[in-house]
Amino acid sequence: MGNMGKLKHWLAANKAAQGGLLAAFILVTAGAVYGMDKSVVAFLLLLASLLLLYFTSFSNKIKWMAAGLLLIIIIPFATSGGSSYEAYMEVASQCGIYVAMALGLNIVVGFAGLLDMGFVAFFAVGAYTYGIFATGQANNFISGDMFPLSGGYFWIFILLGGFMAGIFGILLGLPVLRVKGDYLAIVTLGFGEIIRIIFNNLEKPVNITNGAMGLSSIQPPNLFGFQFTFPHQFYFIVLLILGVVIFAVRRLEYSRLGRSWKAVRENEIAAQSMGIPLIRTKLTAFAIGASFSGMMGVVFAAKQTFIDPTSFTLIESTTILVMVVLGGMGSVPGVILGASLVTILNLQVLTELTNWLNQLSSRGVIQVPDALSPSKMQRLIFGLILILVAVFRPNGLIRAKNRKVQLDQTDRSVKPNPISGQASGASSVNE
Amino acid sequence: MISSILQTLPQVLIDGLALGAIYAVVALGYTMVYGILELINFAHGEIFMTGAFVGTTVLFMFQSFGWLGGLPAWFSYLLIILIAMMVTGSLGVGIERVAYRPLRKAPKLISLISAFGVSFVLQDVVRFIAQLKTGNYIVTSDSLFSGRMTLDTSAISSVFGNASIKANTIIILIVAVLLMAGLDIFVNRTKWGVAMRAVAQDRETASLMSINVNKIVVLTFFIGSALGGATGVLFAQQYGTIDPYIGFILGMKAFTAAVLGGIGNIRGAMFGGIVIGILEMFASSNLGILTHGSFGAEYKDVFAFMILIIVLIFKPEGLFGRAVKEKV
């Protein structure tokens, strides 16, 4: 305690100080990113300012405006200084894609309490929906030589990919009506594998997915003649969709549907006897979660211009699950944090560490065997995160909070019901 | 079409039986843990894989010491299996202690997630070790029994072709039957077995009857994992090539077998394993013929997962299990 405690107290009370410190932090880190040629640390600190912003005590409106300012203007501008502009923007867009997917899975796992181990299948459905029609591939089963579609169709395909993934979500959801708990995890895992095997082999009798060869030279998006090719251009598309997704998730969480999801998660039978339609509630969770993933699948296909079944394996499904569990199941800010952390860990920290070790061993300082290179340790790290989080922090980094409801809105003098206060504290995921 | 299917049928049945025996023993591990803790031990497939690697390592060590020539082959086989069983059994106990016991009172979702974590850690750790030692994580092991003989099935009727059977296949069948019979006797006839069944029935009441529940759980994990490890050795001997990722898909199929027979039911797991093994072999050799080449053997895994999903949807209690009433 002592001085640190006093400082904390003073900061918590003083909004101007918070704002000033945050602004200074952003200025310094943004300047560092702009000025230095490639500094991963500075870039990470700049991103961390979003997290700091979350912990300030400003009103939500101000926080959102500041976050928008950071994401739309400051980050793209700060990174544009050096030669590694595209590399930074690539990381940022991947981050956005994963955040949207993790938010989708969070609806299924976090809100509705249905463990889905095959979530990447929906991402694949979205990616292939665009990939098949934006290459010549569709000519194999639709006569008339109309394909590839031009990049202008990309914008329609975002919706279409989401819609297709939603349909697959409902298809996968159908077994849910009979199966729950651990069994559900296995069924979804099996479903994900089936989808992958089918995409991997659907080159005969009719060549639809081009099998293990994958689809290449997918048309880039096109808006009134403007071609999107570079990561910094995709960054804005990702940001736009992510904005829509976050808005939708926040509205859904406290809607009638969102409350039904949570009720089903806490106690299915009690929820049912309170008149919540079990089938519809679970199926909508699957469909909405899947459609977010499908939309980002379309963006992914357009950004990479190449997709093949190796991008949609079980490790990808687990990656998204790790994001949700690490951040905190059911907590929207937590999931955003978890997804960003895991993506940055994968794309920046592990690769940088590997490069550094490789340099050391090429200079002959130390010998690091190839088997131990950090970028190959993904599974080990994910596995450890899963175990450690499950054992020590089952609620994740930012635990989910239920919004407190003032029972008697007219009479302010009445204190909140102690029972409802307790219930909001115990918001862990129960079966 | 029918005639070519019949021609290969004896071979398919024999290969299917060997594969099915492996599935059956692995399925026992799932069933035992589920029966006692109601937890699906996802890491079980990886324990099987570790067993395969431990067995192969021991075999290589024997080779480098030059012991293989001196000892009779059956004795070194037995020794390898026993060592693998000890290692994987202890591994199973360790996993229970670190990743499952702290979560016994936590929501099921959480323990499931930690089980997935364990399985990933095991895959990568084995990969590290294998890659460090051999430079490649795909390891090819020598077979102790490489003999082969022909079964004259065409003598029964000319519609069948001849089948060839490896000496290894016979050993797999014998060892699998011994393991299963041993487990069956252990669970049904011994005092420890009675205690295990009591804990599976009701953990709290069993603890009131002066049964040390933790000890029984540890024992269950040890036996289940040791069985898995032994099967890993059998698998490595039969198929020759192993890699750190074989456990996942094989574990899924063994789990399918356990569910098909009714999870928690030991005899059901054996039956389910044999059925899945034979069906899979049948599918992989005949899917191409049945669909005129549109779909080939690459869809055999889809087959297993389809069975899993269909069983879970229409008969989640399995063929031999009893439906459990839901507790409110």
Side-chain angles (χ1 to χ4, degrees):
Chain A
M1 280 306 278
N3 277 337
M4 269 312 273
K6 253 186 239 165
L7 195 68
K8 252 188 194 164
H9 227 77
W10 175 74
L11 255 184
N14 195 336
K15 275 190 192 176
Q18 287 178 17
L21 268 179
L22 186 68
F25 182 82
I26 293 173
L27 258 174
V28 170
T29 51
V33 173
Y34 189 82
M36 282 190 253
D37 191 36
K38 181 169 174 74
S39 164
V40 175
V41 178
F43 181 58
L44 293 187
L45 286 175
L46 180 59
L47 287 185
S49 59
L50 280 168
L51 184 65
L52 287 184
L53 179 69
Y54 170 74
F55 284 117
T56 54
S57 45
F58 294 114
S59 70
N60 267 345
K61 205 172 168 188
I62 296 179
K63 280 187 192 174
W64 278 115
M65 275 159 56
L69 192 73
L70 255 170
L71 285 171
I72 297 171
I73 297 170
I74 298 178
I75 291 180
F77 177 72
T79 48
S80 69
S83 56
S84 40
Y85 181 34
E86 298 302 342
Y88 283 138
M89 282 287 112
E90 169 71 23
V91 172
S93 354
Q94 279 293 1
C95 225
I97 289 179
Y98 275 115
V99 169
M101 277 205 280
L103 284 172
L105 183 62
N106 183 45
I107 290 182
V108 184
V109 181
F111 291 167
L114 308 160
L115 186 54
D116 183 351
M117 287 298 304
F119 195 68
V120 82
F122 307 127
F123 188 56
V125 168
Y128 270 99
T129 305
Y130 183 62
I132 288 170
F133 292 101
T135 58
Q137 198 63 31
N139 289 327
N140 292 337
F141 55 93
I142 298 174
S143 59
D145 204 34
M146 298 183 289
F147 303 98
L149 293 174
S150 74
Y153 283 94
F154 170 80
W155 313 100
I156 303 168
F157 265 89
I158 292 182
L159 296 179
L160 214 60
F163 179 71
M164 282 300 288
I167 289 178
F168 272 79
I170 292 175
L171 277 180
L172 169 63
L174 290 175
V176 174
L177 312 177
R178 299 288 300 256
V179 178
K180 57 182 121 183
D182 324 0
Y183 285 150
L184 180 63
I186 306 258
V187 167
T188 49
L189 210 162
F191 177 81
E193 279 297 293
I194 290 177
I195 294 273
R196 191 183 59 80
I197 295 172
I198 288 177
F199 280 142
N200 204 5
N201 292 301
L202 211 60
E203 59 209 30
K204 56 177 187 180
V206 183
N207 188 350
I208 296 179
T209 64
N210 208 18
M213 306 276 290
L215 300 169
S216 51
S217 48
I218 296 169
Q219 290 287 321
N222 186 327
L223 189 65
F224 305 121
F226 180 78
Q227 285 269 9
F228 287 79
T229 38
F230 294 107
H232 75 264
Q233 295 159 335
F234 276 99
Y235 173 77
F236 290 102
I237 300 181
V238 170
L239 213 57
L240 187 74
I241 301 178
L242 186 60
V244 174
V245 167
I246 293 180
F247 178 75
V249 168
R250 286 180 58 88
R251 293 304 292 264
L252 277 170
E253 184 178 357
Y254 301 112
S255 70
R256 192 187 178 83
L257 187 59
R259 293 197 306 270
S260 317
W261 286 334
K262 289 182 183 172
V264 167
R265 172 188 79 192
E266 298 299 332
N267 191 333
E268 211 167 89
I269 295 167
Q272 207 172 10
S273 51
M274 288 308 192
I276 290 174
L278 214 53
I279 296 178
R280 213 169 62 206
T281 310
K282 285 184 176 181
L283 283 186
T284 43
F286 266 105
I288 294 176
S291 63
F292 291 163
S293 188
M295 286 197 272
M296 280 309 183
V298 174
V299 178
F300 177 79
K303 183 165 80 69
Q304 304 301 105
T305 67
F306 171 76
I307 47 171
D308 70 343
T310 54
S311 312
F312 311 109
T313 54
L314 179 74
I315 185 87
E316 294 293 321
S317 290
T318 328
T319 310
I320 309 169
L321 183 69
V322 170
M323 293 167 179
V324 174
V325 173
L326 176 69
M329 281 185 281
S331 142
V332 174
V335 168
I336 296 175
L337 174 68
S340 319
L341 282 181
V342 172
T343 320
I344 290 169
L345 178 81
N346 267 338
L347 290 180
Q348 288 261 292
V349 180
L350 288 184
T351 23
E352 285 299 311
L353 217 60
T354 310
N355 288 344
W356 182 65
L357 284 177
N358 283 345
Q359 275 174 15
L360 281 187
S361 47
S362 69
R363 266 189 253 142
V365 183
I366 43 162
Q367 272 305 317
V368 184
D370 187 43
L372 290 176
S373 82
S375 64
K376 287 187 181 164
M377 285 198 196
Q378 218 187 27
R379 276 168 198 261
L380 181 76
I381 292 171
F382 284 176
L384 287 178
I385 291 179
L386 283 179
I387 301 172
L388 293 177
V389 170
V391 173
F392 295 108
R393 265 195 100 100
N395 292 316
L397 295 176
I398 303 179
R399 66 180 298 163
K401 277 179 278 188
N402 280 340
R403 184 186 275 180
K404 293 200 173 105
V405 180
Q406 193 96 25
L407 286 183
D408 194 343
Q409 296 264 338
T410 47
D411 186 2
R412 294 277 167 189
S413 66
V414 175
K415 285 201 174 133
N417 189 336
I419 297 169
S420 79
Q422 231 171 33
S424 60
S427 56
S428 62
V429 181
N430 285 316
E431 279 250 318
Chain B
M1 190 164 87
I2 299 286
S3 68
S4 66
I5 292 177
L6 280 178
Q7 271 291 314
T8 53
L9 194 63
Q11 188 68 53
V12 166
L13 282 180
I14 285 174
D15 291 344
L17 209 60
L19 188 63
I22 288 177
Y23 288 159
V25 186
V26 178
L28 288 179
Y30 280 104
T31 271
M32 285 174 70
V33 171
Y34 189 85
I36 217 149
L37 284 183
E38 296 206 346
L39 163 83
I40 297 175
N41 178 13
F42 269 106
H44 193 62
E46 270 63 42
I47 290 176
F48 158 87
M49 177 273 295
T50 314
F53 270 88
V54 171
T56 311
T57 314
V58 175
L59 179 67
F60 284 154
M61 275 162 63
F62 280 10
Q63 271 174 345
S64 63
F65 295 154
W67 289 358
L68 277 186
L71 296 171
W74 65 268
F75 185 72
S76 15
Y77 205 133
L78 195 69
L79 216 58
I80 291 172
I81 287 189
L82 281 179
I83 294 175
M85 283 176 92
M86 288 301 131
V87 174
T88 52
S90 324
L91 184 67
V93 171
I95 290 171
E96 194 271 334
R97 187 72 195 80
V98 173
Y100 300 153
R101 195 180 296 178
L103 300 172
R104 218 176 276 168
K105 290 206 172 63
K108 246 194 197 151
L109 203 61
I110 301 289
S111 38
L112 206 59
I113 283 167
S114 122
F116 273 113
V118 172
S119 107
F120 278 107
V121 169
L122 277 182
Q123 282 179 7
D124 234 15
V125 168
V126 171
R127 181 184 68 78
F128 285 157
I129 299 173
Q131 209 170 7
L132 269 182
K133 291 285 171 202
T134 62
N136 186 358
Y137 59 79
I138 299 170
V139 175
T140 308
S141 103
D142 294 336
S143 184
L144 281 170
F145 295 90
S146 48
R148 207 173 238 294
M149 57 185 180
T150 311
L151 274 187
D152 199 14
T153 34
S154 61
I156 304 171
S157 159
S158 58
V159 292
F160 297 122
N162 281 337
S164 99
I165 184 166
K166 284 191 205 165
N168 250 320
T169 311
I170 299 173
I171 294 175
I172 286 189
L173 290 175
I174 294 173
V175 176
V177 168
L178 284 180
L179 288 175
M180 291 190 276
L183 181 69
D184 209 58
I185 292 171
F186 179 82
V187 171
N188 287 318
R189 299 281 161 80
T190 63
K191 217 172 83 183
W192 283 100
V194 175
M196 262 168 81
R197 281 184 290 152
V199 174
Q201 284 279 326
D202 187 334
R203 229 180 295 163
E204 257 137 53
T205 315
S207 75
L208 292 178
M209 301 296 158
S210 77
I211 293 173
N212 185 339
V213 173
N214 273 337
K215 224 182 215 171
I216 297 295
V217 171
V218 165
L219 182 74
T220 312
F221 266 87
F222 185 85
I223 295 177
S225 309
L227 287 179
T231 331
V233 179
L234 297 182
F235 182 91
Q237 283 291 310
Q238 167 86 355
Y239 298 101
T241 311
I242 49 175
D243 70 68
Y245 308 113
I246 51 171
F248 167 68
I249 206 100
L250 194 135
M252 287 300 296
K253 285 176 189 160
F255 178 78
T256 309
V259 170
L260 181 65
I263 195 154
N265 180 320
I266 289 181
R267 288 176 197 189
M270 300 180 201
F271 173 80
I274 304 287
V275 169
I276 298 281
I278 291 178
L279 271 180
E280 185 188 324
M281 273 297 161
F282 186 80
S284 74
S285 65
N286 292 326
L287 260 181
I289 303 173
L290 285 173
T291 58
H292 297 288
S294 306
F295 302 103
E298 61 272 10
Y299 282 96
K300 71 180 196 316
D301 291 348
V302 172
F303 216 77
F305 288 126
M306 291 297 277
I307 296 175
L308 175 68
I309 294 177
I310 290 168
V311 172
L312 282 180
I313 293 174
F314 293 105
K315 205 163 171 21
E317 72 273 15
L319 296 177
F320 296 99
R322 266 170 297 141
V324 200
K325 279 248 174 77
E326 195 167 346
K327 283 177 243 173
V328 180

